[in-house]
Amino acid sequence: MEHTQIRAKLNASTVTQFILLRFYEIPNLQGFLFGMFLIIYLIILIGNSFITVITRIDPALQKPMYFFLANFSTLEVCYVSVTLPRILFNIATQGRHISVLSCGMPTYFYLMLGVTECFLLAVMSYDRYVAICNPLPYPLVMNPTKWTQLAAGSWLGGIPVQIVQTCQIFSLHFCNSNQIEHFFCDLLPILKLACGDTSMHELAVYLVAILFAVVPFIMRNASYSKIIATILRLPTATGQTKAFSTCSSHLLVVFLFFGSASVTYSRLKSTHFPGTDKDFSLFYTIVTPMFNSLIYSFRNNDVIGALRKLLCRKQWQHVCSKV
C-alpha cells in the first residue's frame, strides 16, 4: 500500500509551467486575431472609461443608478484587463508557456471580479426595484452612504472565498498534462489536468457558482418580476415606456453575461465540452464587456444627453450643431 502511494507521488510530476493551446491551432489567422482583439480591447477601454468619466462630471447623473453604472464600467475595464493583454502578448510573441504563478494570479482576479460583477448587477437591480416599486422612500433608502456600502460590498464580497478556492486548485498535483485547452487559465481546464480524484474540488466550484452566480441571478429575476408587474399597473403608456427604458439596458446586460457564464460554471468537469466552454468563456469574458458600454451608451437618454452637453461646450459648437 505504501509502495503504491509513493509511486503515485513520484508519477505526479511537479508542473512549473502550463501551455495555452487556444488560437494556436490556426496559425494563418494570428495577425487577424491580434488586430481583432486589440480593437475589442480599445473599444472596451474607451467606451467604459467614457461612461465612468461622464457619470462623474455631469451633475444630472449624480444619482444611485449612475453611481453603480460608473462602478460597473470600471469593473468591466478591470475584468477584461485580466485576460486580454495576456492574450495579445501571447499572440504577438507566439509564446504559449505561462508559469503556475502567472496562471494563478490572473485566475484569482478573474474569479474575484466575476463575483463582483454578479453582486453589482444584483445591486443595480435592487436600485431599480426600489426606484420603481417604492418611489416615495427611494431617496431615503438609496442615500449616498447606502450607495457606498453596497458598492464596497460588491467589490469586496468575493475576495476571501476566491482566495481559498484558487489556492486549493493550484496546490493540486498536475500529472495528466500541462497543456490547457483554453485561451486563459480558468478553473475547469485546470482541474482537468489534476491527478487523482478531484470530485470534491469540482463540487466546490459548483457550489461557489451557485452561491455567487445562480442565487443572485434568481434574486434579480424576482426583483424584475416585481418591477414588470408594477410597470404594467401604471395608468399611462408614457409612464410604462419611461419605466421600461430605465430597466431594459440592465436586463439585456444581465442575460448576456449570465446566459453564458452560468452554462460554463454550472457544469462539472465530467460533463463539460472544452470547445463549447471556450466559446462561452470568450463571449462573457471579452464580447459582453464590449457590448455593455454600447448598450448603456446608446440605450440611455440621460447618458446621450450628458454627451451632448459635453460636446456643446464653446470649443465644440460646430460639433454640437450637427448632433
Side-chain angles (χ1 to χ4, degrees):
M1 182 68 179
E2 291 181 359
H3 176 74
T4 303
Q5 292 177 342
I6 293 173
R7 186 173 181 179
K9 290 182 179 180
L10 291 175
N11 289 338
S13 60
T14 303
V15 173
T16 59
Q17 286 187 327
F18 292 113
I19 301 175
L20 298 171
L21 299 180
R22 186 58 167 167
F23 302 133
Y24 293 97
E25 67 271 25
I26 41 177
N28 295 332
L29 293 179
Q30 297 299 292
F32 170 77
L33 290 172
F34 181 86
M36 181 183 68
F37 286 133
L38 180 61
I39 291 172
I40 290 175
Y41 190 41
L42 292 176
I43 291 173
I44 293 171
L45 290 180
I46 295 171
N48 285 287
S49 298
F50 160 74
I51 292 175
T52 301
V53 170
I54 205 153
T55 53
R56 297 288 187 181
I57 65 175
D58 193 297
L61 301 183
Q62 304 308 305
K63 302 174 183 178
M65 176 180 177
Y66 297 106
F67 172 78
F68 294 130
L69 179 56
N71 274 268
F72 185 74
S73 296
T74 303
L75 169 67
E76 292 292 69
V77 171
C78 297
Y79 186 64
V80 78
S81 295
V82 172
T83 56
L84 253 182
R86 181 75 196 196
I87 293 173
L88 291 170
F89 175 80
N90 288 348
I91 293 176
T93 62
Q94 289 298 293
R96 298 185 294 170
H97 293 79
I98 182 171
S99 68
V100 173
L101 180 62
S102 297
C103 193
M105 289 298 292
T107 301
Y108 161 71
F109 284 109
Y110 168 78
L111 294 172
M112 186 269 289
L113 293 171
V115 171
T116 300
E117 182 151 353
C118 294
F119 286 165
L120 200 53
L121 288 171
V123 166
M124 294 169 76
S125 66
Y126 171 73
D127 170 67
R128 291 299 85 207
Y129 163 74
V130 177
I132 294 174
C133 300
N134 299 283
L136 293 179
Y138 177 70
L140 296 177
V141 175
M142 296 302 294
N143 56 68
T145 301
K146 190 69 171 287
W147 307 354
T148 306
Q149 291 173 346
L150 289 172
S154 298
W155 282 95
L156 302 176
I159 290 178
V161 173
Q162 294 305 341
I163 286 178
V164 173
Q165 183 166 254
T166 304
C167 290
Q168 286 180 337
I169 298 299
F170 281 88
S171 64
L172 296 171
H173 288 288
F174 302 100
C175 58
N176 295 329
S177 173
N178 68 336
Q179 297 182 347
I180 303 175
E181 297 180 2
H182 217 299
F183 57 89
F184 69 99
C185 298
D186 202 0
L187 287 186
L188 292 177
I190 293 293
L191 271 176
K192 188 179 178 181
L193 306 181
C195 306
D197 183 15
T198 60
S199 58
M200 293 304 296
H201 294 283
E202 293 176 1
L203 181 61
V205 172
Y206 185 73
L207 293 176
V208 169
I210 292 177
L211 179 63
F212 290 133
V214 179
V215 171
F217 183 66
I218 293 173
M219 294 173 62
R220 276 183 293 275
N221 287 345
S223 295
Y224 273 101
S225 296
K226 294 181 179 180
I227 289 172
I228 292 172
T230 301
I231 291 174
L232 293 176
R233 289 197 298 266
L234 293 176
T236 64
T238 303
Q240 292 178 352
T241 302
K242 183 177 180 181
F244 270 121
S245 68
T246 64
C247 303
S248 58
S249 299
H250 182 245
L251 271 173
L252 184 56
V253 168
V254 166
F255 283 105
L256 281 175
F257 177 75
F258 281 93
S260 52
S262 296
V263 169
T264 299
Y265 284 99
S266 62
R267 292 183 292 165
L268 301 181
K269 183 178 74 172
S270 57
T271 60
H272 85 114
F273 300 96
T276 303
D277 287 344
K278 285 182 283 189
D279 294 336
F280 279 121
S281 298
L282 183 66
F283 190 83
Y284 71 76
T285 304
I286 298 174
V287 179
T288 298
M290 179 183 67
F291 284 144
N292 288 348
S293 60
L294 300 176
I295 291 169
Y296 279 118
S297 296
F298 294 107
R299 292 181 59 87
N300 190 299
N301 292 330
D302 290 338
V303 173
I304 293 175
L307 172 61
R308 286 176 176 171
K309 285 194 290 185
L310 182 65
L311 296 178
C312 285
R313 293 178 178 178
K314 291 182 179 180
Q315 63 269 34
W316 296 98
Q317 286 295 331
H318 64 288
V319 176
C320 180
S321 61
K322 299 179 181 179
V323 177

